[in-house]
């Protein structure tokens, strides 16, 4: 028997980097509510007492960025200086300018010119049968832990908890099949008037056991606030930036990543829209039983509509040759930016909620890239 271990991590919505992702996507949503044709590339930085919003935005509408920032911070739970950032008292700096004409002329659809990709780049999508959501088990469990940490905090079950936090899960595989969780790491930001024993007992009983269940055993190694204290957290402890948690956002390192971040970008940016389509393709291939594991790569050039390459890898689990699957993908799935946007209905204000707990493996009707509605068509290729 071949035994291996794989580890993935997640962060709560109060982690400084995730705060930035949510602010950037909240601004994007606010603009899309008024102007679906807007071009948005919005980046955020947070640090002690300060939020800075920068980027390129071209739109016919106006949104009050400071108001969006404060509402987002309040929703997350940064409601006092003690929490690491106060939504009421923090300073907010903006530096926004329009998208350059050089990019605009390649992206906009005009007479004689099809809408091209908003930038060059390569995007990966992945799916496997380790979970019902067709996600790798380590990242799925890591997200479930951080989500429950935040849920218990908001519901008053962890009165001492503050917004910042992280999880890490190591899964043990036997001959490529997940069988148990070998270790769990939890770091949770907390108020000063709580002892470490209470933190560890509460997190184990109210978060870890409900999420992991039978995957835990007496040999599972648990590390809950391993330094003993986590009193200073959030932006007060660590500066945050949009787009710095791209592995958390996708597959936890289990699959390859092209390097492009998602948050703050409108769907004309293939970093986002093509990554969603690649996930949709991979998930439908696996759901249709054409493979047990599938990775899809799409690549683009700025201003060009057609992808430069389409790559499919099934890691020896495919019912059809990988090159045949490439032909099927090109025939059955829209791959040009405008067609992707239309097919997945991406010009909607749906993005703030993607900015924490992963963009994939979520059961939400707005996450159209998670649908498996192409399975019946794909199954016909097996007959």
């Amino acid at each position: 028997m071949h035994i291996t271990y794989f580890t993935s991590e997640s962060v709560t919505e109060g982690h400084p980097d995730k705060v930035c992702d949510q602010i950037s996507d909240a601004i994007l949503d606010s603009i899309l509510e008024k102007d679906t044709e807007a071009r948005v590339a919005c980046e955020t930085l947070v640090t002690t007492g300060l939020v800075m919003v920068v980027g390129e935005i071209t739109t016919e509408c106006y949104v009050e960025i400071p108001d969006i920032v404060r509402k987002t911070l309040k929703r997350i739970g940064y409601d006092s200086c003690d929490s690491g950032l106060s939504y009421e008292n923090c300073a907010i700096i903006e530096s926004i300018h329009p998208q350059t004409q050089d990019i605009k002329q390649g992206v906009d659809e005009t007479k004689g010119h099809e809408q091209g990709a908003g930038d060059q780049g390569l995007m990966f999508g992945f799916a496997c049968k380790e979970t019902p959501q067709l996600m790798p088990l380590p990242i799925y469990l890591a997200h479930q832990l951080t989500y429950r940490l935040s849920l218990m905090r908001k519901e008053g079950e962890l009165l001492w908890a503050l917004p910042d936090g992280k999880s890490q899960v190591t899964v043990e595989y036997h001959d490529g099949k997940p069988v148990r969780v070998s270790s769990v790491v939890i770091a949770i930001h907390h108020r000063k008037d709580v002892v470490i024993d209470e933190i560890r007992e509460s997190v184990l009983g109210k978060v870890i056991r409900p999420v992991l269940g039978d995957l835990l055993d007496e040999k599972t190694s648990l590390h809950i606030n391993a330094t003993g204290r986590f009193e200073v957290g959030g932006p007060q402890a660590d500066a945050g930036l949009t787009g710095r948690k791209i592995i958390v956002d996708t597959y936890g390192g289990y699959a390859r990543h092209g390097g492009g971040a998602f948050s703050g970008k409108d769907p004309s940016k293939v970093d986002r829209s093509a990554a969603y389509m690649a996930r949709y393709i991979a998930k439908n291939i696996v759901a249709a039983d054409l493979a047990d594991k599938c990775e899809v790569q799409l690549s683009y050039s700025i201003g060009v509509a057609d992808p430069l390459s389409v790559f499919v890898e099934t890691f020896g689990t495919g019912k059809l040759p990988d090159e045949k699957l490439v032909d099927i993908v090109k025939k059955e799935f829209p791959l040009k930016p405008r067609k992707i946007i239309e097919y997945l209905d991406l010009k909607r204000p749906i993005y703030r909620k993607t900015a924490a707990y992963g963009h994939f493996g979520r059961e939400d009707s707005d996450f159209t890239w998670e649908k498996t509605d192409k399975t019946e068509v794909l199954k016909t290729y097996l007959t």
Side-chain angles (χ1 to χ4, degrees), residues 47-355:
T47 187
T48 305
L50 174 65
V51 178
M52 181 178 291
V53 179
V54 302
E56 302 81 47
I57 298 177
T58 300
T59 180
E60 298 297 322
C61 74
Y62 173 79
V63 298
E64 186 65 41
I65 288 178
D67 185 55
I68 297 167
V69 170
R70 296 189 195 281
K71 286 180 178 178
T72 303
L73 293 174
K74 182 179 181 181
R75 186 186 300 114
I76 293 169
Y78 282 114
D79 52 11
S80 68
C81 293
D82 290 342
S83 68
L85 189 67
S86 169
Y87 77 90
E88 293 180 299
N89 299 324
C90 66
I92 299 172
I93 297 174
E94 304 172 51
S95 181
I96 303 293
H97 60 83
Q99 184 183 69
T100 70
Q101 183 60 37
D102 293 347
I103 296 175
K104 186 177 186 298
Q105 66 185 6
V107 177
D108 287 354
E109 185 159 333
T110 59
K111 186 177 180 179
H113 177 74
E114 197 170 7
Q115 179 177 340
D119 200 353
Q120 72 176 55
L122 48 139
M123 300 82 206
F124 287 95
F126 182 80
C128 65
K129 291 188 174 181
E130 291 186 10
T131 65
Q133 296 77 17
L134 304 185
M135 287 289 286
L137 185 59
I139 187 63
Y140 177 77
L141 293 176
H143 283 323
Q144 292 298 302
L145 288 171
T146 51
Y147 177 77
R148 189 166 177 85
L149 274 175
S150 291
L151 181 65
M152 292 294 96
R153 171 177 61 85
K154 292 178 178 180
E155 291 186 349
E157 293 292 326
L158 302 175
L159 293 174
W160 44 263
L162 293 169
D164 196 0
K166 302 177 76 172
S167 71
Q168 183 173 288
V169 177
T170 301
V171 173
E172 182 177 316
Y173 290 79
H174 293 179
D175 295 327
K177 302 293 183 182
V179 296
R180 61 183 290 270
V181 170
S182 66
S183 70
V184 180
V185 178
I186 295 287
I188 180 68
H189 185 198
H190 61 82
R191 302 187 188 278
K192 296 180 180 180
D193 57 349
V194 62
V195 297
I196 187 63
D197 288 345
E198 180 182 352
I199 293 172
R200 288 172 176 165
E201 181 180 345
S202 297
V203 169
L204 178 60
K206 296 181 178 181
V207 178
I208 295 176
R209 290 195 187 282
V211 169
L212 301 184
D214 293 340
L215 291 169
L216 287 175
D217 58 35
E218 67 279 359
K219 294 182 179 180
T220 301
S221 177
L222 300 176
H223 304 272
I224 303 170
N225 281 23
T227 67
R229 306 298 292 174
F230 188 0
E231 293 179 9
V232 180
Q236 184 179 1
D238 186 14
L241 292 168
T242 298
R244 201 160 59 176
K245 285 291 177 284
I246 60 175
I247 300 302
V248 171
D249 283 343
T250 52
Y251 308 101
Y254 201 100
R256 284 173 282 198
H257 197 295
F262 300 153
S263 290
K265 297 177 181 178
D266 75 83
S268 72
K269 280 73 172 174
V270 285
D271 277 345
R272 182 166 223 158
S273 53
Y276 289 175
M277 178 52 72
R279 161 64 176 172
Y280 176 72
I281 294 168
K283 187 173 184 180
N284 275 273
I285 287 173
V286 172
D289 290 322
L290 270 64
D292 293 336
K293 184 185 295 186
C294 181
E295 185 177 73
V296 174
Q297 185 203 53
L298 305 174
S299 70
Y300 293 85
S301 169
I302 188 169
V304 179
D306 286 305
L308 303 182
S309 67
V310 178
F311 171 84
V312 177
E313 169 69 64
T314 57
F315 309 94
T317 71
K319 305 293 177 57
L320 297 171
D322 290 346
E323 56 269 25
K324 173 64 174 176
L325 290 174
V326 170
D327 293 337
I328 293 170
V329 168
K330 290 179 178 179
K331 180 179 179 181
E332 298 293 344
F333 294 91
L335 301 178
K336 296 181 179 182
R338 183 172 68 84
K339 295 295 185 181
I340 291 173
I341 292 166
E342 291 174 352
Y343 190 87
L344 296 179
D345 195 13
L346 296 179
K347 290 183 180 181
R348 295 173 295 140
I350 58 172
Y351 296 107
R352 183 188 57 79
K353 58 185 174 181
T354 70

